[in-house]
Amino acid sequence: MPDGAKRPIKPGTSGADVAKAISPSLLKRTVAMVLNGTLSDLAEPINADATIKFVTRTDPEALELIRHDTAHVLAEAVQDLWPGTQVTIGPVIENGFFYDFAKAEPFTPEDLPRIEKRMSEIIAKNAPFTRQVWSRDKAKAYFKEKGELFKVELVDAIPPGEDVKIYNQGAWLDLCRGPHMASTGAIGKAFKLTRHSGSYWRGDAQGKPLQRIYGTAFADEKDLAAYLKQIEEAEKRDHRKIGREMDLFHFQEEGPGVVFWHAKGWATFQQLIAYMRRRLAEDYQEVQGPQLLDKSLWETSGHWGWYSDNMFAVKSATAFMNPNDDTAEQRVFALKPMNCPGHVQIFKHGLKSYRDLPLRLAEFGCVHRYEPSGALHGLMRVRGFTQDDAHIFCTEEQLEAECLKINDLMMSVYKDFGFKEVVVKLATRPAKRVGTDAMWDHAEGILRKVLGKMAAEDSRIKTGINEGEGTFYGPKFEYTLRDAIGREWQCGTTQVDFNLPERFGAFYIAADGEKKQPVMVHRAICGSLERFLGILLEDCAGHLPLWIAPVQAVVTTIVSDADAYAKQVHAKLKKLGLRTEIDLRNEKINYKVREHSLAKVPVMLVVGKREAEEGKVSVRRLGSQEQTVMTLEEALTMLKSEAMPPDLARE
RNA sequence: GCCGCAAUAGCUCAGUCGGUAGAGCACGUCAUUCGUAAUGACGGGGUCACAGGUUCGAAUCCUGUUUGCGGCACCA
């Protein structure tokens, strides 16, 4: 027992029996147990010495069970309402659960309340969850008979030696690994179906289409309400909404997935580039490759073969309109989807010596990818974007140090932007790949070692492995950040490449005078600058740090008598290099304060008659109603130092 | 690309049973000179995403297309 007490029991006694023996009221409020550290049903027999902790429905451990049980009840409700619907899987996910159904007619938005109602009825019946272990044959025969063909497949997929477990809730049953709570009544009332969508059997777009329902559940209704409120608040931080409010960028129908950057958004974009450029100055050489290159080059690089579905091809407009006209130049170019082939050409131009390595070529490269229409998402997923890309040509021996160096830069940059948590995942060899197993073993080995070091050295880094998710040309690290509602987006990346140097015949002259193929590392810190800014906007809810804010300060007057003074203030701010605006409109100060607050200008310098006479300014910060009156000189000194980008401030 | 939903003024949205378009904010003009989140009056602004169809008549019903939103799949 958690309190250290020991109880002798007979082998085979269930958790429920143990609880009951302690006290019937304990049994009544217990929904599951942690047996030897593993969350289990109360029905689980205990066959040897064990540690037991009983779990009530309000314990943190129970949340997963509540959600999983709710998913089962959802499945029962759907089969009640639409007989003939097949059930597939219904796992617990972050913040809730989903269940996938095979149903000819898709769900409609009106179906969700109907299903919820039926679920409430099922929960009210409070049928116990009971577990049975069936033979494989029995389970297959049963599900086949019922027409549950997906369940038959799932039974087949259970590893030999593992029990085929069936959970009943009243008359309804499901194949399930468990565990579950004692009865459906333990679910309570704090559940909600949140949305529905299409999905695919086994996540395969070639597989059978399924209908998914998402929901969430909590131990009590207050928690559910708080969660829904939190989501609602987070949605207000959507970068697409903030972008409009701050007049940063827009999209329009003629340009799906390409950004119109407005003056303000572009000011911030340029600050981001300027910052990154300073961070690279010491170690990298900045280059710029061409936007269009002949299709043949992309065939050589392999991109045409692997990704032509996602590339833009370009011809002259004449050739495009007259495909059979021999006199028109029919040559096909591709809009670059990556900068690497360009960088390899630059590396190859002129003989390189081992003394030149590591050679780090950086580019703020604008790339275009023909992303599937359904993937487009504001600034986060676009068809034309700018990468803070770089390629490092180095020797085998230099690889590990280079990866660590990249990670240091990555984390330092993320810190400057205030990101508290970064998830780094190592993506290993995919099924379709180039290179020998020995090469993969070697490169993955180095990256694993580097991943371990990262986790040990920086508490902000959470690490993991994405098995089989590497690129076709090598393993990679994915650095992911989250948006306002918790969706993960890959930003930074470090990728080892077995493919390109060989395909393009890149080499350097080694110390022994022999030609040697360099190791190539792709890396991006922000990844897509568009995406990075989208994440940043959501992370700070549009309240950008002063140094990167599009408009850093607005000088605004209370009366027109202060206009001349306001202009002086504005001119001095400009001279300091601050991005400022002046608002001399004949409007009430309340109106102006409101407007600039909504536009999320970090600093307002308000001047009236008093300030003009005394050579002062009244400083008001975004998000605060406080006003601080200070001399103009004090304000200038303060703002100049505050507007210093973090890297320059460190110096 | 797949499933569902949506598209009306610059923005947020209303528009009932199919009868010919409306509000607030924004914008313009005028008045107002005001001390920290909306001053008032007046005015301009619409191919109701686009293309077909049904109908005497379509923002409204049907079909297709485009774009967006939520997932799925994809993400070099």
Side-chain angles (χ1 to χ4, degrees):
Chain A
M1 299 295 162
D3 62 1
K6 290 184 193 300
R7 291 186 74 88
I9 55 162
K10 283 187 193 155
T13 307
S14 73
D17 292 337
V18 177
K20 194 175 171 188
I22 295 172
S23 90
S25 71
L26 174 67
L27 176 63
K28 206 172 164 188
R29 63 174 191 271
T30 299
V31 294
M33 63 180 169
V34 179
L35 181 65
N36 292 326
T38 305
L39 196 57
S40 311
D41 301 325
L42 283 179
E44 186 76 28
I46 301 159
N47 296 316
D49 282 351
T51 62
I52 298 187
K53 183 184 162 215
F54 290 112
V55 175
T56 69
R57 65 183 296 284
T58 50
D59 288 334
E61 294 95 332
L63 188 57
E64 190 182 324
L65 297 177
I66 290 173
R67 289 173 175 170
H68 189 188
D69 290 6
T70 312
H72 275 231
V73 169
L74 164 62
E76 179 181 348
V78 166
Q79 289 200 315
D80 271 3
L81 293 167
W82 292 277
T85 300
Q86 290 184 64
V87 290
T88 67
I89 56 162
V92 171
I93 54 173
E94 189 177 17
N95 297 321
F97 60 87
F98 69 76
Y99 209 112
D100 277 346
F101 301 95
K103 177 171 173 287
E105 290 297 309
F107 293 106
T108 67
E110 297 74 41
D111 290 340
L112 299 189
R114 254 183 92 195
I115 300 167
E116 282 176 352
K117 187 160 167 276
R118 187 74 194 97
M119 288 168 70
S120 296
E121 291 162 11
I122 294 166
I123 291 167
K125 282 192 210 153
N126 197 19
F129 281 102
T130 54
R131 190 177 74 184
Q132 306 169 44
V133 175
W134 286 4
S135 75
R136 221 159 268 264
D137 289 345
K138 179 180 174 183
K140 279 176 72 173
Y142 175 84
F143 286 118
K144 201 167 180 181
E145 159 75 26
K146 263 186 87 183
E148 295 281 9
L149 304 179
F150 296 94
K151 289 290 174 187
V152 175
E153 266 193 58
L154 289 173
V155 173
D156 277 331
I158 296 174
E162 200 174 299
D163 285 342
V164 176
K165 287 186 265 185
I166 301 293
Y167 278 84
N168 279 76
Q169 57 203 56
W172 193 83
L173 63 78
D174 198 0
L175 171 75
C176 182
R177 194 176 291 131
H180 283 279
M181 298 191 289
S183 65
T184 59
I187 291 170
K189 292 182 175 176
F191 69 92
K192 185 169 175 59
L193 301 181
T194 48
R195 55 180 177 257
H196 65 98
S197 88
S199 63
Y200 301 102
W201 173 235
R202 295 188 185 280
D204 177 1
Q206 278 8 285
K208 293 201 182 70
L210 302 174
Q211 301 296 329
R212 176 171 300 180
I213 292 179
Y214 285 93
T216 191
F218 289 86
D220 76 80
E221 291 174 85
K222 262 190 235 150
D223 293 344
L224 174 63
Y227 170 75
L228 295 174
K229 180 82 190 160
Q230 182 211 321
I231 293 292
E232 198 183 310
E233 287 301 314
E235 281 168 359
K236 291 184 188 157
R237 289 193 282 143
D238 189 306
H239 73 281
R240 293 164 293 193
K241 185 168 148 59
I242 290 173
R244 198 168 47 235
E245 289 165 355
M246 295 176 71
D247 192 18
L248 303 177
F249 58 85
H250 85 268
F251 293 91
Q252 65 187 46
E253 235 177 296
E254 295 85 348
V258 288
V259 190
F260 286 80
W261 282 105
H262 299 190
K264 287 178 185 169
W266 194 241
T268 289
F269 198 102
Q270 289 302 315
Q271 287 306 310
L272 177 57
I273 289 186
Y275 165 83
M276 284 310 304
R277 195 166 266 148
R278 289 191 303 271
R279 299 302 314 264
L280 301 181
E282 206 169 305
D283 296 320
Y284 291 78
Q285 303 176 36
E286 187 177 330
V287 299
Q288 185 70 220
Q291 210 53 244
L292 289 173
L293 287 166
D294 192 284
K295 173 172 160 260
S296 64
L297 182 130
W298 302 103
E299 285 168 342
T300 304
S301 74
H303 292 99
W304 193 267
W306 287 86
Y307 295 108
S308 59
D309 283 355
N310 298 302
M311 286 171 68
F312 287 97
V314 180
K315 280 197 212 182
S316 79
T318 308
F320 181 75
M321 287 184 295
N322 306 288
N324 301 317
D325 179 354
D326 291 343
T327 62
E329 189 185 46
Q330 297 292 347
R331 194 170 173 190
V332 175
F333 298 85
L335 216 40
K336 72 170 170 181
M338 301 194 79
N339 305 299
C340 26
H343 291 187
V344 176
Q345 306 316 307
I346 293 171
F347 177 86
K348 280 179 63 184
H349 210 85
L351 263 189
K352 295 292 179 294
S353 146
Y354 71 98
R355 297 176 199 273
D356 296 318
L357 307 186
L359 182 70
R360 309 183 187 97
L361 299 180
E363 172 171 352
F364 295 95
C366 178
V367 296
H368 286 85
R369 297 178 182 180
Y370 196 89
E371 301 286 10
S373 57
L376 302 179
H377 184 102
L379 293 178
M380 305 298 200
R381 189 80 182 270
V382 285
R383 286 184 175 159
F385 59 100
T386 313
Q387 293 179 312
D388 62 331
D389 204 1
H391 295 92
I392 295 160
F393 299 88
C394 63
T395 65
E396 188 64 43
E397 297 70 42
Q398 292 165 335
L399 178 60
E400 184 181 336
E402 286 302 312
C403 289
L404 285 168
K405 192 178 172 73
I406 292 165
N407 183 63
D408 286 347
L409 177 60
M410 194 94 71
M411 295 315 291
S412 164
V413 169
Y414 288 6
K415 189 177 176 189
D416 278 349
F417 286 96
F419 293 116
K420 303 276 183 300
E421 189 195 302
V422 184
V423 177
V424 185
K425 293 211 173 134
L426 168 61
T428 59
R429 69 194 78 184
K432 283 173 74 180
R433 60 178 184 262
V434 300
T436 62
D437 282 354
M439 289 161 87
W440 281 91
D441 287 344
H442 179 70
E444 283 175 6
I446 289 177
L447 293 194
R448 269 178 219 278
K449 193 168 151 198
V450 170
L451 191 72
K453 277 192 189 172
M454 283 180 200
E457 284 167 16
D458 194 327
S459 61
R460 291 172 303 154
I461 301 184
K462 294 208 160 57
T463 60
I465 309 275
N466 273 347
E467 225 52 80
E469 308 251 312
T471 69
F472 75 89
Y473 53 70
K476 64 170 176 176
F477 289 131
E478 301 170 339
Y479 291 71
T480 59
L481 297 170
R482 283 171 179 264
D483 70 9
I485 64 170
R487 289 176 288 217
E488 284 188 7
W489 298 92
Q490 182 189 306
C491 291
T493 185
T494 302
Q495 310 176 348
V496 180
D497 190 337
F498 308 134
N499 183 49
L500 271 195
E502 187 181 353
R503 276 178 173 261
F504 280 115
F507 64 87
Y508 64 93
I509 306 298
D512 59 7
E514 293 296 309
K515 288 182 182 176
K516 215 170 167 207
Q517 194 175 297
V519 176
M520 186 173 179
V521 180
H522 308 239
R523 55 104 279 199
I525 308 291
C526 303
S528 146
L529 300 187
E530 285 78 0
R531 174 180 292 181
F532 193 76
L533 284 178
I535 296 270
L536 181 63
L537 284 170
E538 298 200 357
D539 193 60
C540 67
H543 294 214
L544 289 168
L546 192 63
W547 70 273
I548 200 167
V551 175
Q552 296 172 306
V554 169
V555 182
T556 182
T557 50
I558 297 170
V559 291
S560 53
D561 285 348
D563 284 4
Y565 176 64
K567 284 178 189 166
Q568 284 175 31
V569 174
H570 182 232
K572 287 200 173 172
L573 288 164
K574 282 249 173 229
K575 207 167 173 194
L576 276 185
L578 289 165
R579 295 181 293 280
T580 44
E581 287 182 352
I582 183 164
D583 183 357
L584 302 178
R585 289 175 304 167
N586 175 14
E587 295 289 351
K588 288 191 173 180
I589 190 61
N590 286 303
Y591 179 88
K592 296 193 196 178
V593 165
R594 177 169 196 272
E595 210 170 68
H596 300 305
S597 298
L598 290 175
K600 305 191 199 301
V601 177
V603 177
M604 261 179 268
L605 300 176
V606 179
V607 297
K609 244 183 187 166
R610 252 186 347 248
E611 286 78 8
E613 280 162 13
E614 297 170 2
K616 292 186 171 174
V617 290
S618 167
V619 180
R620 181 181 166 130
R621 306 285 183 150
L622 179 62
S624 162
Q625 287 164 34
E626 219 173 290
Q627 303 148 37
T628 316
V629 178
M630 59 181 79
T631 66
L632 176 56
E633 289 314 313
E634 282 171 339
L636 291 173
T637 310
M638 176 184 79
L639 291 176
K640 187 182 177 186
S641 111
E642 266 184 53
M644 187 83 79
D647 57 313
L648 296 178
R650 274 196 292 275
E651 292 170 15

